[in-house]
Amino acid sequence: NNYDRAVADIHLRGLKYAQTYGIKKCHKLDIYQMPFVDEFDAVCLFDVIEHLDEEALALENIYDSVKEQGKIVVTVPAHQWLWSRDDAVAGHKRRYTRQSLIESIQKAGFKTVECKYIFSLITPLLALRRLIRPDHGAAVNPGELVQLNDQAGVKMNPFVNFLLSKLRAIDRLVQRMLPLPFGGSLLLVAKK
């Protein structure tokens, strides 16, 4: 299939990155002031809504931007009990349970098609991260943000990348045979 793809971001850096993948339609926009109505067959929000103060308004705007019978695909970090300093530094406002994500999406008018936990096998590593880097509510200092931005541009070690891709393949197999009620993230598909 040849999709007519577009990318939207409030930051120019993200749009410039998308252009390196050949995406020509790049929109700098604020999700709280969407200029689109009945425009898209599908909207993907990969690790977006956990950053939003006004999640409900943003999801309502996304609902308006999707065509009738259109879909949204959403990923979010899972389980508030996995909250760590890394969440605070990344600007997360919350982590989700399956039920809380479904409720947020349905309040905006969407009907959930599927919602499941993913990255289940890394959950113990995320729990360990929470113990090593707990969040005590202190303000995020500029040094932490610089470190996060530096990490965003770091190339993944090929061996580590290989191991993680194999772990993800095993995770998908496990989820197919025995869907687990936990994971590092949630994946949701919903329809207008």
Side-chain angles (χ1 to χ4, degrees):
N1 288 332
N2 192 9
Y3 296 103
D4 184 18
R5 301 173 299 168
V7 171
D9 200 323
I10 197 165
H11 303 290
L12 286 175
R13 181 178 176 187
L15 298 176
K16 288 179 182 176
Y17 182 73
Q19 288 175 333
T20 67
Y21 283 88
I23 297 173
K24 305 223 182 316
K25 291 184 181 179
C26 294
H27 305 281
K28 184 176 186 309
L29 63 84
D30 182 338
I31 200 166
Y32 299 126
Q33 299 174 2
M34 292 281 288
F36 303 107
V37 176
D38 297 327
E39 181 79 19
F40 303 108
D41 293 314
V43 171
C44 299
L45 300 165
F46 300 129
D47 296 328
V48 173
I49 65 173
E50 69 272 12
H51 295 275
L52 305 176
D53 287 316
E54 296 180 58
E55 171 195 83
L57 174 60
L59 289 172
E60 289 167 11
N61 288 343
I62 295 296
Y63 182 87
D64 291 341
S65 75
V66 175
K67 293 178 184 175
E68 204 57 45
Q69 300 299 307
K71 293 183 179 171
I72 62 166
V73 180
V74 178
T75 61
V76 294
H79 305 298
Q80 194 63 31
W81 57 268
L82 288 173
W83 184 271
S84 73
R85 185 67 181 164
D86 292 23
D87 288 290
V89 172
H92 294 174
K93 308 297 182 195
R94 68 199 76 77
R95 293 177 78 83
Y96 292 80
T97 63
R98 185 176 180 279
Q99 190 58 40
S100 68
L101 179 58
I102 289 171
E103 287 173 6
S104 294
I105 296 300
Q106 289 180 343
K107 277 184 197 170
F110 290 101
K111 290 179 177 47
T112 302
V113 174
E114 182 175 14
C115 184
K116 64 182 179 180
Y117 289 101
I118 58 175
F119 305 123
S120 296
L121 298 180
I122 68 162
T123 305
L125 297 174
L126 296 174
L128 181 62
R129 181 181 71 178
R130 182 187 188 282
L131 293 173
I132 293 170
R133 290 187 40 84
D135 181 30
H136 299 294
V140 174
N141 68 53
E144 288 177 297
L145 291 175
V146 167
Q147 184 181 4
L148 180 69
N149 284 334
D150 287 347
Q151 289 171 353
V154 171
K155 297 272 188 231
M156 179 68 79
N157 175 302
F159 180 69
V160 172
N161 196 37
F162 172 79
L163 287 178
L164 290 174
S165 68
K166 293 302 176 194
L167 185 62
R168 177 64 187 128
I170 294 168
D171 192 75
R172 280 195 305 262
L173 182 62
V174 169
Q175 286 287 356
R176 247 185 264 130
M177 294 184 314
L178 176 69
L180 298 172
F182 61 87
S185 295
L186 278 157
L187 170 68
L188 176 137
V189 178
K191 185 188 261 188
K192 184 170 182 177

